[in-house]
């Protein structure tokens, strides 16, 4: 372990100034490392009312009702962890490292620490985060909820999460990422490594609800085994300064499946650079990437890439964007790459405005123009979220309903 950690540290040290492949380059020197110490609480309901309201805005239920477990990271300190079902384990990554020797087989294995300066910084800070494990052959009745909360101004939150779905297990995770009121400027660096073993299924839903001057740099990699399924739902509807992410699923088991659903709005002053990539390297693997983005004056970049490396694979990529304001920018970048003949991969991309005849059609039923536009936008966003459990869809619908755009 020490030799391995020593090697990883050398790689991270060498990458401390390495720029990311995409997105605005953020100067890490402009931020302090967020505090690592805070008192733990047995219940999220023990937190003050302001924080509880903030958690709710990101889809996190303080009562824990309807949840298999809960986890809260405030700045860089674990302040709450609990579990209600025996089918799952919920603890911090640092606790898992102490409890299980085998965790070394997963620790910084899917995401290299020298990917860029954001991963390097997270490694060198020995970041904590959530460790969630679905036990073999089990199916959690309810989702596990986690929250990554930024509570300090001009601070950097460094996070390292590991999720393992053992053979034949099924797990749903809902994560809310948000800032405390009054924290307008900060930086979030989040590393997530997911492992889904033979016949397992993970549905992961992330709701971002940051402040307007927050920079966000998540780095996620998912390893999917034989006959296993990974479904990723990402929602970001509130103003934020800068997001750049490119989560990648590697379908390494035959007949595995991966899907990314993304719904995002780029408000004035925002740059939302969100991509998804699926590498299909096993026979008969299948994948789908669906992106819906709206700009009301910000810059929206929707990247999507499918890589076919095995025979018999099927995959589809779909990027659609709406421009609602003159200064908004939409950029769709779909990519298909195949290295074997027996593959079927397709893509579809469209960028434009709301058709006038659509608005007039709805207005003919007695609605105002604003109400008609609201209905069209809600329908556009909701189309991007499909194939997920009804319980999780309710969380996303709440987030869409909370936006000004949906008010009609």
């Amino acid at each position: 372990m020490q030799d391995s950690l020593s090697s990883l540290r050398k790689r991270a040290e060498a990458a401390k100034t390495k720029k990311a492949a995409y997105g605005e380059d953020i100067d890490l020197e402009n931020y302090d490392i967020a505090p690592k110490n805070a008192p733990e609480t047995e219940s999220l309901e023990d937190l003050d009312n302001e924080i509880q309201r903030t958690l709710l805005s990101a889809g996190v239920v303080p009562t824990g009702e309807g949840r298999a477990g809960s986890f809260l990271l405030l700045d860089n300190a674990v302040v709450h962890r609990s579990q209600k079902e025996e089918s799952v384990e919920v603890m911090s990554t640092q606790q898992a490292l102490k409890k299980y020797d085998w965790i070394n087989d997963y620790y910084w294995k899917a995401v290299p620490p020298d990917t860029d300066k954001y991963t390097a910084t997270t490694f060198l800070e020995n970041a904590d985060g959530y460790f969630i494990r679905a036990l073999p052959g089990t199916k959690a009745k309810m989702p596990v909820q986690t929250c990554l909360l930024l509570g300090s101004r001009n601070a950097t939150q460094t996070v390292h999460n590991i999720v393992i779905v053992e053979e034949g297990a099924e797990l749903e995770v809902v994560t809310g990422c948000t800032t405390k009121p009054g924290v307008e400027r900060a930086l979030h660096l989040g590393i997530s490594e997911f492992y889904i073993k033979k016949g397992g299924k993970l549905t992961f839903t992330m709701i971002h609800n940051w402040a307007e001057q927050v920079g966000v740099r998540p780095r996620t990699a998912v390893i999917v085994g034989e006959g296993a399924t990974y479904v990723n739902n990402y929602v970001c509807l509130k103003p934020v300064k800068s997001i750049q992410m490119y989560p990648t699923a590697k379908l390494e088991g035959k007949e595995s499946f991966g899907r990314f659903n993304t719904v995002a709005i780029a408000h004035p002053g925002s740059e939302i650079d969100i991509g998804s990539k699926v590498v299909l390297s096993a026979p008969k693997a299948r994948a789908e990437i669906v992106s819906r983005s709206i700009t009301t004056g910000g810059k929206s970049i929707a990247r999507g890439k499918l890589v076919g490396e095995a025979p018999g694979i099927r995959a589809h990529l779909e990027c659609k964007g709406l421009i609602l304001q003159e200064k908004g920018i939409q950029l769709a970048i779909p990519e298909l790459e195949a290295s074997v003949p027996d593959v079927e991969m397709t893509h579809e991309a469209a960028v434009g405005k709301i058709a006038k005849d659509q608005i007039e059609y709805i207005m003919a039923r007695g609605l105002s123009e604003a109400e008609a536009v609201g209905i069209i936008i809600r329908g556009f966003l909701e189309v991007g979220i499909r194939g997920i459990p009804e319980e999780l869809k309710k969380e996303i619908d709440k987030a869409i309903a909370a936006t000004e755009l949906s008010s009609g």
Side-chain angles (χ1 to χ4, degrees), residues 73 130 146-150 157 159 161 175-178 188 210:
L73 188 77
Y130 54 77
T146 72
C147 184
L148 309 175
L149 177 61
L150 259 166
Q157 182 180 53
V159 184
N161 307 312
T175 289
C177 298
T178 185
H188 167 85
W210 302 107

Side-chain angles (χ1 to χ4, degrees), residues 170 355 401 403:
E170 193 167 327
T403 65

Side-chain angles (χ1 to χ4, degrees), residues 264 266 292-296 300 320-325 328-330 350-355 358 373 376-378 380-381:
R292 292 286 189 277
S293 60
I294 290 175
T295 172
T296 61
S300 175
K320 292 186 177 180
L322 277 180
I323 302 176
L324 300 186
Q325 299 292 338
I329 297 174
Q330 282 277 6
V351 172
K353 62 181 182 180
I354 299 175
Q358 285 183 291
V373 170
I376 292 169
I377 290 174
R378 282 198 299 274
F380 175 80
L381 294 177

Side-chain angles (χ1 to χ4, degrees), residues 215-274:
V216 185
R217 294 295 183 270
R219 301 291 183 255
T220 300
V222 189
I223 308 299
V224 187
E226 180 180 341
T229 296
Y230 176 67
V231 177
N232 184 95
N233 302 302
Y234 177 78
V235 179
C236 181
L237 306 179
K238 297 295 181 64
V240 62
K241 177 63 177 176
S242 170
I243 296 179
Q244 191 278 309
M245 55 189 279
Y246 200 32
T248 299
K250 300 176 181 177
L251 307 185
E252 297 184 349
K254 66 179 182 180
E255 298 182 348
S256 53
F257 176 70
R259 174 188 289 146
F260 285 91
N261 298 316
T262 300
V263 175
I265 298 175
H267 297 264
S270 295
E271 181 170 315
I272 309 295
D273 187 334
I274 299 175

Side-chain angles (χ1 to χ4, degrees), residues 67-239:
R67 299 293 190 256
S70 300
F71 179 93
L72 171 61
L73 188 77
L74 172 59
D75 285 329
N76 290 321
V78 178
V79 299
H80 176 77
R81 52 191 165 80
S82 61
Q83 61 187 66
K84 294 182 178 179
E85 294 189 20
E86 295 181 353
S87 59
V88 297
E89 291 182 304
V90 181
M91 64 186 80
S92 75
T93 301
Q94 294 298 326
Q95 288 173 322
L97 284 167
K98 295 176 182 176
K99 184 174 182 178
Y100 296 122
D101 290 337
W102 50 256
I103 199 70
N104 300 328
D105 295 335
Y106 306 89
Y107 186 70
W108 289 102
K109 297 302 183 185
V111 178
D114 57 354
T115 300
D116 55 36
K117 64 183 183 182
Y118 310 119
T119 58
T121 298
T122 304
F123 177 88
L124 294 172
E125 286 296 325
N126 197 27
D128 211 344
Y130 54 77
F131 171 84
I132 303 172
R133 179 181 176 228
L135 301 183
T138 64
K139 178 179 179 180
K141 296 178 182 177
M142 299 178 291
V144 173
Q145 66 175 3
T146 72
C147 184
L148 309 175
L149 177 61
L150 259 166
S152 299
R153 298 185 64 179
N154 300 324
T156 298
Q157 182 180 53
T158 56
V159 184
H160 186 192
N161 307 312
I162 297 176
V163 176
I164 299 172
V165 177
E166 299 286 0
E167 282 194 15
E170 193 167 327
L171 174 67
E172 298 168 17
V173 177
V174 180
T175 289
C177 298
T178 185
T179 46
K180 285 178 64 177
V183 180
E184 294 299 324
R185 183 178 182 276
L187 177 62
H188 167 85
L189 309 178
I191 310 304
S192 295
E193 302 184 282
F194 298 164
Y195 303 88
I196 310 167
K197 299 184 181 179
K198 183 178 180 180
K201 181 179 180 180
L202 173 62
T203 301
F204 183 80
T205 298
M206 176 174 286
I207 300 174
H208 273 188
N209 189 16
W210 302 107
E212 294 188 26
Q213 297 301 319
V214 173
V216 185
R217 294 295 183 270
R219 301 291 183 255
T220 300
V222 189
I223 308 299
V224 187
E226 180 180 341
T229 296
Y230 176 67
V231 177
N232 184 95
N233 302 302
Y234 177 78
V235 179
C236 181
L237 306 179
K238 297 295 181 64

